[in-house]
Amino acid sequence: MSDSHLTFSIPSDVAGESPPVEILLNVPTTDDGNQGENETNTGFVMWPSAVMLAHYLSKNPGILRGDDTPDGDVMEMGAGCGLTGLTAATLLQNDDPTNDDKVVLTDYNPAVIENLRRNILLNEYDVAHEAIGLDWFDNDGTSDDSGESVEREDNTWVDTEGISHAQFRLILGADLIVCSNDPELVAGTIDTALLEGGTALIMGPSADARFGIAGFPGACRSLGMTVKVDENILETNENAREEDGSQQQLMDGLDMSRYSIRAGKDGHDFTMFTINKPITA
């Protein structure tokens, strides 16, 4: 396995008046042309939905600042190379250098976690952001993948070492739903790791392009969370005809993620789920 260094350009503000933000990534590569299909290697792939979600965050800074959420930190689920979470960390720091909100990048694969730690260091943040192991089976409210019950304190989530952590005000995730049980696992993990009053933003392909996407809103609602579904995100961006250059940055990023190859000759659009966890008391 060798390394490939990428630089992603993300709009730095809504008006596009400032230079774009650059996110540095180390992306391990292999000679395996089907790397993204291998369960152990999916974290070494730059997925198109991560590019879309990073672009969205740059255009909606209030979500990152937590204008309408309780105090707390930010998590990226299934972070892979970490583009979305690193974008969040960079935008938070640029918006307010005194902001000490931490971004925690999570994934299941230990090799991916090590690469995420390397990517955090590459971007030289003032805040000590972290990369931590997370198994959705340990946090979906039932049991782990061996069928055993997982013990954790109230209002916490547990990492792959069995250590409990505080819940987050904002959870981000891109291209998380692939398998038949992923809607329930992702929804359950969000419910476990999200503060009451918090928000989760999950970006994925359109429902007709990825199995399981259509069932995700119902899985969230069954746990008492609310879900807003926005479809055709790419088409919406194209129709906006952004004049600040950010549309070209988006398309360049999608090209770097091999969107045209992964999406097939007809391509696919994207769907974003905005999930809120109500305050119960």
Side-chain angles (χ1 to χ4, degrees):
M1 182 175 290
S2 60
D3 291 340
S4 173
H5 294 279
L6 301 178
T7 301
F8 274 80
S9 293
I10 305 294
S12 59
D13 57 35
V14 176
E17 296 175 351
S18 301
V21 170
E22 291 190 342
I23 311 297
L24 306 180
L25 297 174
N26 177 70
V27 182
T29 60
T30 71
D31 294 330
D32 179 6
N34 296 318
Q35 177 168 273
E37 306 302 321
N38 185 330
E39 184 175 348
T40 62
N41 289 343
T42 55
F44 296 141
V45 173
M46 177 52 59
W47 294 98
S49 294
V51 177
M52 287 298 307
L53 185 51
H55 181 86
Y56 179 84
L57 292 174
S58 73
K59 293 295 184 179
N60 295 273
I63 294 174
L64 277 179
R65 289 194 301 264
D67 293 349
D68 300 313
T69 59
D71 293 338
D73 293 325
V74 179
M75 171 204 271
E76 182 182 4
M77 289 179 61
C81 295
L83 174 62
T84 300
L86 295 171
T87 297
T90 301
L91 292 172
L92 282 170
Q93 181 168 290
N94 288 358
D95 180 69
D96 180 4
T98 66
N99 188 327
D100 60 357
D101 287 358
K102 183 184 297 183
V103 176
V104 178
L105 310 176
T106 65
D107 207 284
Y108 175 73
N109 186 339
V112 171
I113 294 297
E114 287 304 312
N115 189 57
L116 285 168
R117 289 171 180 157
R118 182 175 180 177
N119 285 340
I120 291 171
L121 293 175
L122 274 176
N123 288 277
E124 299 181 342
Y125 294 109
D126 296 334
V127 175
H129 304 299
E130 294 184 276
I132 298 177
L134 170 65
D135 187 340
W136 300 344
F137 282 95
D138 292 345
N139 291 277
D140 71 339
T142 55
S143 60
D144 63 15
D145 52 7
S146 68
E148 297 182 1
S149 177
V150 177
E151 296 292 334
R152 61 174 177 271
E153 300 173 14
D154 291 341
N155 301 320
T156 65
W157 61 278
V158 64
D159 66 23
T160 50
E161 301 297 322
I163 300 172
S164 294
H165 300 267
Q167 294 171 317
F168 298 92
R169 64 172 174 85
L170 176 64
I171 294 177
L172 307 170
D175 272 313
L176 301 180
I177 299 171
V178 178
C179 302
S180 60
N181 59 343
D182 283 345
E184 289 74 23
L185 287 171
V186 173
T189 301
I190 291 172
D191 187 49
T192 296
L194 188 63
L195 284 163
E196 290 189 357
T199 298
L201 298 177
I202 307 299
M203 185 78 73
S206 51
D208 58 358
R210 179 72 60 79
F211 183 78
I213 294 288
F216 181 57
C220 293
R221 291 172 181 136
S222 71
L223 296 173
M225 297 183 287
T226 64
V227 185
K228 179 177 179 287
V229 181
D230 292 298
E231 299 179 310
N232 302 320
I233 302 298
L234 181 58
E235 179 181 349
T236 300
N237 275 278
E238 290 175 341
N239 289 342
R241 292 186 175 90
E242 296 168 297
E243 298 178 355
D244 57 9
S246 62
Q247 181 65 23
Q248 187 58 52
Q249 291 165 8
L250 171 61
M251 300 313 297
D252 290 345
L254 288 174
D255 286 344
M256 293 176 73
S257 72
R258 301 176 69 200
Y259 164 71
S260 60
I261 296 174
R262 300 188 192 287
K265 66 176 183 178
D266 296 326
H268 65 66
D269 212 308
F270 298 87
T271 299
M272 187 172 71
F273 304 95
T274 303
I275 301 152
N276 294 105
K277 184 174 179 180
I279 297 174
T280 57

